[in-house]
Structures are given as C-alpha cells and as structure tokens.
C-alpha cells in the first residue's frame, strides 16, 4: 500500500476544501489533509507538528495573515 501524501491546506472557503479533496479522491490519490482556515495559525501549527507536510496549498487572500 502506498504511503499517503500529507497535505496542509490553508483555506477559509469550505467549498474550495471540498473541491480539492474531491479532485484528489476522484483521481485515486492517497492523502491525508490538515485544514487551517486562518493565516495566523499556520506557523504555530508548523512549529508543533511532528511531520512537516509534503505539500502546502495556500490561499493568499486569508483573514489574519
């Protein structure tokens, strides 16, 4: 079995989160996702996480960035 790709999705629009996750699932991508909806929570998350995400998808128009 393939190891899942860990994706950090920094996005405040739930529809965009669903779109990305659906697209990945529809294409049989094995992934785990962490969603952060406020920009000021990203660095504290990265400081405390034990495994750095493989991919970070970042919305550049977030509140509190």
């Amino acid at each position: 079995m393939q190891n899942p790709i860990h994706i950090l999705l920094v996005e405040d629009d739930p529809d965009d989160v669903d779109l990305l996750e659906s697209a990945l699932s529809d294409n049989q991508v094995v992934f785990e996702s962490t969603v952060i909806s406020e920009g000021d929570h990203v660095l504290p998350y990265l400081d405390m996480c034990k495994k750095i995400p493989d991919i970070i998808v970042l919305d550049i128009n977030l509140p509190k960035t």
Side-chain angles (χ1 to χ4, degrees):
M1 182 166 171
Q2 186 178 4
N3 287 334
I5 297 169
H6 182 204
I7 300 172
L8 173 58
L9 179 55
V10 185
E11 175 60 63
D12 61 331
D13 185 343
D15 292 333
D16 288 342
V17 172
D18 289 341
L19 178 67
L20 177 67
E21 290 179 343
S22 293
L24 292 169
S25 294
D26 290 349
N27 287 286
Q28 289 79 44
V29 176
V30 179
F31 71 96
E32 298 172 342
S33 62
T34 301
V35 179
I36 297 177
S37 60
E38 293 183 13
D40 62 344
H41 293 174
V42 175
L43 290 178
Y45 169 80
L46 291 172
D47 282 340
M48 67 166 243
C49 70
K50 294 181 191 303
K51 183 178 182 245
I52 299 296
D54 298 307
I55 298 171
I56 298 174
V57 179
L58 175 64
D59 177 355
I60 60 171
N61 292 315
L62 284 172
K64 297 183 182 179
T65 54

